[in-house]
Amino acid sequence: SKRSLKLKARDGIIDDGDDFSGETANRFRKTLEEPPPGALFLLLGTSLDLFLSTIQSRCQLVRFAPLDDVAMETALTAHGINDPGMRRRLIRLGGGSPGQALALADDSLWRFRQAFLEGLAQPRVDSIALGKQFVELAEQAGKDGPAQRSRAGQALGLLIEAFLDLQRLQAGQPAHSAEPAELPFLTALAQQDEPAKIQAVLERCLQTEAHVNRYVSLGVTLEGLADALGQIVASGGAAPVRYLGFPA
């Protein structure tokens, strides 16, 4: 009908709605306060905490349940992920999201992770080089800021999973996501670093993950992470109590 055509023209899907800057979020809030007649906006996001409370109060929350492993495997196979081992890793890392799992199927992300782990396992960690590699990886997503942050977040998620594997190895358990080529570096780190250091590494990565999703300078954030991890790994004895903003 004529009315349905008008409504369709005023519907809108806004991806990464939780990635609005403060100014953009405030402008969009005004649109929500006085929307066009019959308009429907769908705001997609991954973190409710990043939406302004004034935007949340004007929206109806709809949570999407993650897909089960069988549906995930079907989706990954349909998109050409034929290696069973890689499918298992992507299903575990994807958290029920085919889009997230497929994004992590990017070979360059896994090459970066291996190079980063190799760099941390060296007798002398070159934190500057590691930070530069991380920034360059993010910039491969193009000049768009949200795309760079998304790519940095994907790489950081893989690093966090690698350090969880490191903890598993220290506890005598098998690694979950490690590629065969990564095991020597993870094993070396597991042998040379006590559990307290690995826990400090994980805490620093989780802090950085929160910063990546906010409007903090991405380059400074990633370079700061590399510097902090280099300090932790290279320190003698227990992990340092204070480093790069961590409270004593």
Side-chain angles (χ1 to χ4, degrees), residues 54-154:
T54 49
I55 288 182
Q56 292 184 39
S57 65
R58 289 165 173 79
C59 297
Q60 178 178 347
L61 177 63
V62 178
R63 297 186 183 276
F64 292 90
L67 298 183
D68 60 30
D69 288 356
V70 174
M72 287 285 289
E73 182 152 11
T74 300
L76 293 176
T77 302
H79 282 82
I81 309 298
N82 298 316
D83 179 0
M86 177 58 79
R87 278 203 306 271
R88 286 194 296 271
R89 284 193 290 272
L90 294 177
I91 289 171
R92 186 162 43 247
L93 296 171
S97 167
Q100 175 70 2
L102 289 169
L104 295 176
D106 187 339
D107 287 341
S108 63
L109 290 172
W110 292 87
R111 288 196 300 270
F112 163 78
R113 186 173 89 157
Q114 180 180 329
F116 200 95
L117 294 173
E118 181 178 4
L120 286 180
Q122 297 303 310
R124 186 178 180 85
V125 179
D126 188 347
S127 299
I128 295 177
L130 291 180
K132 182 179 180 181
Q133 289 175 21
F134 212 153
V135 172
E136 289 176 348
L137 179 79
E139 290 176 345
Q140 289 174 9
K143 295 183 178 180
D144 184 55
Q148 290 186 6
R149 291 178 186 279
S150 176
R151 188 170 180 79
Q154 292 160 1

Side-chain angles (χ1 to χ4, degrees), residues 199-205 207-208 228 232 240-248:
Q199 184 60 38
V201 164
L202 273 170
E203 289 174 1
R204 189 62 174 83
C205 287
Q207 184 193 52
T208 300
I232 297 169
V241 176
R242 177 184 291 278
Y243 54 89
L244 292 184
F246 269 52

Side-chain angles (χ1 to χ4, degrees), residues 2-241:
K2 185 176 181 181
R3 182 173 181 274
S4 65
L5 289 174
K6 287 184 177 180
L7 286 175
K8 190 174 294 184
R10 289 174 179 170
D11 294 346
I13 299 176
I14 302 172
D15 202 1
D16 294 325
D18 52 352
D19 199 39
F20 283 157
S21 66
E23 181 181 357
T24 303
N26 280 317
R27 288 182 178 180
F28 186 73
R29 175 182 57 80
K30 295 178 181 178
T31 301
L32 290 178
E33 290 173 348
E34 298 181 10
L40 173 65
F41 297 109
L42 298 179
L43 276 71
L44 306 182
T46 57
S47 175
L48 190 61
D49 292 339
L50 296 180
F51 282 100
L52 287 180
S53 60
T54 49
I55 288 182
Q56 292 184 39
S57 65
R58 289 165 173 79
C59 297
Q60 178 178 347
L61 177 63
V62 178
R63 297 186 183 276
F64 292 90
L67 298 183
D68 60 30
D69 288 356
V70 174
M72 287 285 289
E73 182 152 11
T74 300
L76 293 176
T77 302
H79 282 82
I81 309 298
N82 298 316
D83 179 0
M86 177 58 79
R87 278 203 306 271
R88 286 194 296 271
R89 284 193 290 272
L90 294 177
I91 289 171
R92 186 162 43 247
L93 296 171
S97 167
Q100 175 70 2
L102 289 169
L104 295 176
D106 187 339
D107 287 341
S108 63
L109 290 172
W110 292 87
R111 288 196 300 270
F112 163 78
R113 186 173 89 157
Q114 180 180 329
F116 200 95
L117 294 173
E118 181 178 4
L120 286 180
Q122 297 303 310
R124 186 178 180 85
V125 179
D126 188 347
S127 299
I128 295 177
L130 291 180
K132 182 179 180 181
Q133 289 175 21
F134 212 153
V135 172
E136 289 176 348
L137 179 79
E139 290 176 345
Q140 289 174 9
K143 295 183 178 180
D144 184 55
Q148 290 186 6
R149 291 178 186 279
S150 176
R151 188 170 180 79
Q154 292 160 1
L156 187 54
L158 288 184
L159 284 179
I160 290 171
E161 182 61 30
F163 296 133
L164 289 173
D165 270 346
L166 220 168
Q167 287 186 321
R168 296 182 184 107
L169 291 174
Q170 287 184 326
Q173 300 173 0
H176 286 178
S177 73
E179 297 256 335
E182 296 173 331
L183 283 174
F185 310 124
L186 286 174
T187 302
L189 287 167
Q191 292 173 347
Q192 75 187 37
D193 293 325
E194 59 187 57
K197 281 190 180 183
I198 305 307
Q199 184 60 38
V201 164
L202 273 170
E203 289 174 1
R204 189 62 174 83
C205 287
L206 291 170
Q207 184 193 52
T208 300
E209 189 174 47
H211 287 170
V212 165
N213 292 325
R214 299 182 185 277
Y215 285 89
V216 182
S217 170
L218 185 59
V220 171
T221 299
L222 300 180
E223 290 170 351
L225 173 66
D227 188 36
L229 299 191
Q231 289 185 45
I232 297 169
V233 171
S235 64
V241 176

